[in-house]
Amino acid sequence: MSAQLAPQSPAVPRHAQPLQLTRRGRLLLIGLPLILSAAALLTLIGFFTAPAMASTGDRLGAGETITVTVGAGQTLWEVASAVAPERNPHEVIAEMSQLNNLPGSVVQAGQQLHVPVSGSGQRP
């Protein structure tokens, strides 16, 4: 009896084989770009939603600013009246809203506000 050998397929070159990734490789290939994209997106969002920094210049015409902590039950009107009693509270409230990026007139107890002060330097 003679044994017949099965025909052998020609050797496939290594560069022609499809790429086979391990679990770690797939995670790296997919996860790393996702993480970098998320970090870039969060940084971009942070630039547009970060609270405004108080200006010590005359950008708003307010001059000097101080940081005030809102007390329980205190309103923007009361803060404006205490800090700049000689000025119109409406103007001071408008400047506070712009300095602190306030969406409305409601403030919470314990909230830190940048407040424009007059030359008298009174604090609430």
Side-chain angles (χ1 to χ4, degrees):
M1 262 189 151
S2 75
Q4 287 187 337
L5 296 174
Q8 291 185 345
S9 61
V12 178
R14 187 163 173 77
H15 66 277
Q17 294 177 349
L19 181 63
Q20 293 182 354
L21 291 175
T22 63
R23 182 175 178 212
R24 185 184 303 164
R26 283 190 301 270
L27 181 65
L28 184 66
L29 186 67
I30 295 169
L32 187 62
L34 286 176
I35 291 172
L36 292 175
S37 298
L41 182 64
L42 289 175
T43 302
L44 185 64
I45 290 171
F47 283 127
F48 292 111
T49 60
M53 297 300 293
S55 172
T56 57
D58 284 340
R59 190 185 72 160
L60 295 174
E64 188 177 297
T65 60
I66 60 171
T67 302
V68 174
T69 303
V70 177
Q74 199 171 23
T75 63
L76 286 176
W77 187 275
E78 292 169 344
V79 173
S81 298
V83 172
E86 70 285 346
R87 292 183 59 200
N88 183 348
H90 291 288
E91 293 173 2
V92 179
I93 290 171
E95 291 174 6
M96 284 192 299
S97 295
Q98 190 173 11
L99 277 171
N100 297 285
N101 285 338
L102 297 176
S105 61
V106 178
V107 289
Q108 304 297 323
Q111 185 175 354
Q112 297 279 325
L113 295 176
H114 298 289
V115 181
V117 293
S118 61
S120 63
Q122 294 180 354
R123 294 179 185 225

